[in-house]
Amino acid sequence: MLHGRFWRLIFGVAAIAAAAASSTSPVPSLDDGAPFERTHFRTLLTGNPNHFGNSPQSGQQPITILANNTNTNSSVALVTTRTLGAFQQQSRSNFPQASQAFWVNYGSGWISLGFATVNTHDIPDSTDCNGTSTKPLYYTLSIKFDSEHEICTKPVLPKIRAILSWDQEPSATDPYWSPVWGNSMEEYVQSLASHLGGCHDTSIADGRAFSTKQTVLSASPIEDALPSDPQPQKTDWEELTCLGPDRGLSSLVATVRIKQEIGYSASPCSDQAFEFVSFWADWYDNCQWTFLGTAKFNVHDFSSDFPSTGLVYTVILPVNLLNLSAPCNETRIVNVRASLAFNSIPPVPPAVASRGNIIQTHVHLQPYKGVKNPKTPIIGRIGGINVDQIETSDAGSGMTIPNAQFFEDGSFADPSLPHSRNCPFGGKNHYLWARGYPGMPVANPTDVLNPADPAHPHHTYDPDSEGCFPYLDSTKNPLSTLGFWYPPDGVWQIRLEMVTPDLPHSLEAYSPWYKVLVNNQRPKVGLELTGTGGQVCGDLTIGATVSGTFYAISPYFDRYSLGLEPPGLNPNPFTGLGDPLTPVSPWSTWGLATSGAVPCGYVVALSVWDRTVVDSVGDYGKRFYLNKRKGFCLRKP
């Protein structure tokens, strides 16, 4: 346990070391029982992108439930896997992945929320201590979104849609895209005016403010041996429907379906009715269950517009899954259990609440790489990217690996297809996340979301005189935020140190050094108009060719575009342009015919983006960007 301990982040200039040789054991051949279309999926798509047509196949990995968490405003999909030899990778491999596209509809059309991913592996069939098959396995994919605001008297009930696709990125523009391997699902959820890491929703009624929150009531493990067969389930009003791990949040996630419009004896503007969910796990497959904690969320009666299929909510309990996982060349399957009760703490199974039920599933704990020591702190995420997707070793570049993705929304660090380039970090801050050579402490005040205190969900912590912060467990710091870092350009290393609580602190343990390449330089661009036929470059007649020179360069170049404004008035394309993903050296030439164009004032606009991860978010609009604009007047002859 780390209670009473302090921590600090240390950074320094990276020491460049020679690359060390590494070796891995060979990957065994695939199970002969896997379908040919599955084991040769990429090859078939490369030969013919439309090889599979539009018929989805869902034999391996369907979505089983889709829900929303009103605490973090995150959509959650529970995914199951069933077969061996269908994923083409062992547990130690990062790819291929199952990708999940999320969409939301408030009544006027689908809006894309982004992607989330999970690594998939070939896992042998097995049975647990009760002789029950460990398949299917359950995984959780989640993504945050900023929902439309609601007032308590008029709940907002959008529809959420998810599309699951194995080893093929879903469409970012088509909400009805059909995956080859996977499926889609829609559910109604309740939307609250909060955002991940932000304030709870407060609504004013009768002069009072009420908060609607999930609250973690307890998270202290207590070992209990639980019988295996529960009593009959009582699910007329609410039902616990699914349970799985969220590796990114290091949590167990349960989904609850609210089935009735009334029967909860609470108005939408009250916080008097709750659904309680308790969690257990059989960590070591010995049929001995460990109590993990209980969480609750607010429910109420609805006066109208209640969906016939009900509303689906998620309940999230932070759990330190890392210390329970196995190395990447082993497989760790765990039996987990959740119990639901309305307006009371659930009884210990096999007892069932007067309103509620029990579910039990098998989950695969994420493998770890290297040598694990539970007493050694580690940094799990830098700049919004998991550290295993960053070249953080002494021999690495300090940039993201190809196909690296943001944890929060599943978007790619490299914005442009095929997402294969390395990306540096930059901007105002770096979001750092943790589980569980002299340098300078990262001593910036740190803002932490604390759902255990709904009245004051945000807490700002200042470092002490030695740059250390108090350690907060997962109930007070569910996102495990370590700090915000404002580094200048260069190659840096950062590590996490655990120290004793009293000043002067004594160093107890520390993480490895993680290399990070920081870039805060914007692209360099240039644009000129040169004119033709002896005419002045800024004043031309229809039929003339507008010409010019330009350049677009950056050490971490993403793409450029050269366009004409207003659009649609000149039918002719630009000439002399190359691949938009390739930098343009000074001063390359371009041309634009004007035959058939409408007389008007025009602007040639050059826009250039680089691929630096800015401010730790996946929003492509936050990437470093620069543009140049030149105008001309096109007149009748």
Side-chain angles (χ1 to χ4, degrees), residues 517-603:
L517 176 61
V518 177
N519 167 62
N520 287 296
Q521 302 302 312
R522 295 182 180 274
K524 292 181 170 57
V525 301
L527 176 66
E528 295 293 341
L529 296 179
T530 59
T532 61
Q535 301 191 56
V536 178
C537 63
D539 198 355
L540 304 172
T541 56
I542 294 175
T545 297
V546 184
S547 61
T549 59
F550 74 120
Y551 66 88
I553 56 177
S554 169
Y556 311 107
F557 188 85
D558 176 31
R559 66 191 188 278
Y560 79 90
S561 68
L562 191 65
L564 187 65
E565 301 172 356
L569 302 183
N570 185 353
N572 304 290
F574 282 90
T575 61
L577 307 185
D579 182 356
L581 301 184
T582 301
V584 180
S585 59
W587 285 83
S588 299
T589 59
W590 57 269
L592 178 66
T594 63
S595 299
V598 175
C600 188
Y602 289 91
V603 172

Side-chain angles (χ1 to χ4, degrees), residues 195-206:
H195 56 85
L196 194 64
C199 298
H200 61 286
D201 178 59
T202 58
S203 301
I204 304 299
D206 301 326

Side-chain angles (χ1 to χ4, degrees), residues 155-375:
V156 177
L157 307 178
K159 182 180 284 189
I160 299 292
R161 179 175 176 85
I163 304 173
L164 175 69
S165 175
W166 176 79
D167 206 20
Q168 184 182 23
E169 183 178 330
S171 170
T173 59
D174 183 5
Y176 297 104
W177 180 82
S178 295
V180 176
W181 298 99
N183 69 324
S184 61
M185 176 174 283
E186 295 178 5
E187 292 283 5
Y188 285 97
V189 300
Q190 183 173 8
S191 174
L192 294 180
S194 60
H195 56 85
L196 194 64
C199 298
H200 61 286
D201 178 59
T202 58
S203 301
I204 304 299
D206 301 326
R208 296 180 297 165
F210 298 96
S211 64
T212 305
K213 291 285 292 183
Q214 172 190 304
T215 303
V216 177
L217 304 179
S218 58
S220 300
I222 302 173
E223 291 193 357
D224 286 311
L226 304 179
S228 58
D229 297 325
Q231 296 174 351
Q233 316 289 288
K234 304 166 185 178
T235 58
D236 292 337
W237 283 273
E238 56 276 293
E239 183 177 5
L240 197 58
T241 57
C242 207
L243 175 63
D246 189 312
R247 294 172 172 180
L249 290 177
S250 191
S251 301
L252 285 177
V253 178
T255 59
V256 178
R257 185 181 298 276
I258 299 301
K259 297 182 173 183
Q260 303 293 340
E261 184 175 354
I262 59 174
Y264 305 92
S265 301
S267 69
C269 293
S270 72
D271 56 356
Q272 299 174 348
F274 296 90
E275 301 287 351
F276 292 79
V277 179
S278 295
F279 297 80
W280 289 264
D282 177 10
W283 293 125
Y284 303 104
D285 193 27
N286 57 7
C287 293
Q288 297 293 311
W289 292 85
T290 298
F291 173 69
L292 304 176
T294 300
K296 68 176 183 178
F297 68 94
N298 177 261
V299 290
H300 54 80
D301 293 334
F302 287 84
S303 59
S304 61
D305 299 326
F306 188 80
S308 60
T309 56
L311 294 170
V312 186
Y313 299 79
T314 62
V315 182
I316 300 173
L317 185 78
V319 180
N320 190 345
L321 299 175
L322 177 69
N323 287 342
L324 297 159
S325 63
C328 60
N329 59 349
E330 299 179 13
T331 299
R332 183 76 181 276
I333 305 298
V334 170
N335 209 351
V336 293
R337 174 182 283 171
S339 179
L340 171 70
F342 172 69
N343 255 355
S344 64
I345 301 294
V348 175
V352 180
S354 59
R355 282 176 53 173
N357 67 310
I358 300 170
I359 62 170
Q360 188 168 305
T361 63
H362 292 92
V363 301
H364 175 217
L365 298 187
Q366 183 175 17
Y368 64 84
K369 298 180 180 180
V371 179
K372 182 185 72 169
N373 183 345
K375 296 182 179 180

